[in-house]
Amino acid sequence: HAASQSDYLLDAFHAARGTEHLGSHTRLRCVLERLRSQQPVRVVALGGSISAGLSFGVRKGAVGAWLYHAKVANALNVAFPPSPLSNGTARRHAHYNGALPATGPGFFELCLESRMPDGPIDLILLEFAANTEGRPDAFERLLRRLLSRPNPPGHAPPAIVVVNTHIFRLKGQHRMACWKKSNANQAT
C-alpha cells in the first residue's frame, strides 16, 4: 500500500524535500584495503546503552566482550590479523567504546570530541536505536559532523556504519514513545 504522510516522522513540507542517499562505498573500501594489507585499523563505537553496556567495568573503560562492537573488532582480528611489529610482537586492531548509556545524538553532537579517542579512526559504528530523543535532526547533524571529521594527513577519513534501524515508519502501538512526542501533531 502507498504510505500515508502519518507514516513518516517528518511533516509533509520536510518529507517532500527529503532525499535518501546511500552514499559512496569509498570509505569502507579504504578500511577493507587497510585490512587486506595487514595494517591495523581503529574501530570506534558511539551510541547509547546498547553500545555502552551497562556494567560498571564497561563504564570505567573496560570493554565487554559480549558487546556487538567488541565482537566486530574481534572478528576483524581473526579474519584480518595485522602484520606483527618488526620485533615479532603481535598487533591487534584497536577498539574504543565511546558510547554512554541513556544518551542520544543530541548529547553527542555537542560533546563529540570528548567521546572520541585521539588519533586516526578508520571505522565508526553508530547506534542510537533506543536513545533517539525524538530528534532525527540531531542524529543528522551528528552524522554530518562525523562525515566531516578529518583524519591525519595520509589517513583516509573514517567510514561510518549506522548499525540500527530507526522506526520512522512504524504506526500505532509499535511506535516508541520517544518518537511519538515529536509526532504529537500528526495522526497515528
Side-chain angles (χ1 to χ4, degrees):
H1 79 76
S4 69
Q5 181 56 44
S6 64
D7 290 338
Y8 296 99
L9 180 64
L10 303 175
D11 60 31
F13 175 83
H14 290 99
R17 286 157 181 76
T19 61
E20 181 176 352
H21 177 64
L22 297 177
S24 164
H25 295 125
T26 303
R27 292 179 183 214
L28 281 174
R29 282 191 202 113
C30 289
V31 174
L32 184 57
E33 184 178 311
R34 286 184 64 82
L35 291 168
R36 287 181 174 160
S37 65
Q38 296 185 298
Q39 297 177 54
V41 298
R42 197 163 196 201
V43 179
V44 172
L46 298 176
S49 58
I50 292 170
S51 295
L54 296 175
S55 75
F56 180 75
V58 171
R59 288 181 293 195
K60 287 295 187 181
V63 176
W66 67 92
L67 297 170
Y68 76 89
H69 47 83
K71 291 181 178 188
V72 168
N74 188 52
L76 292 176
N77 279 307
V78 170
F80 300 97
S83 60
L85 296 172
S86 59
N87 65 4
T89 304
R91 291 193 296 179
R92 294 183 58 80
H93 300 297
H95 171 237
Y96 179 81
N97 185 354
L100 283 173
T103 307
F107 169 84
F108 279 87
E109 104 178 278
L110 298 173
C111 301
L112 180 61
E113 294 309 315
S114 70
R115 304 306 307 160
M116 302 287 270
D118 293 331
I121 297 169
D122 298 291
L123 178 61
I124 298 171
L125 302 174
L126 189 62
E127 168 279 317
F128 287 106
N131 300 84
T132 60
E133 301 171 331
R135 297 197 41 216
D137 55 327
F139 183 81
E140 181 178 344
R141 285 190 302 269
L142 173 61
L143 202 52
R144 289 177 184 274
R145 278 196 64 198
L146 290 169
L147 286 167
S148 65
R149 187 180 195 282
N151 261 337
H155 204 100
I160 301 166
V161 176
V162 177
V163 296
N164 62 282
T165 302
H166 292 292
I167 57 168
F168 296 139
R169 296 186 58 154
L170 293 179
K171 295 172 99 177
Q173 68 183 17
H174 304 292
R175 185 181 294 159
M176 292 173 48
C178 57
W179 284 116
K180 284 182 182 179
K181 69 180 177 187
S182 67
N183 279 342
N185 62 343
Q186 295 182 17
T188 55

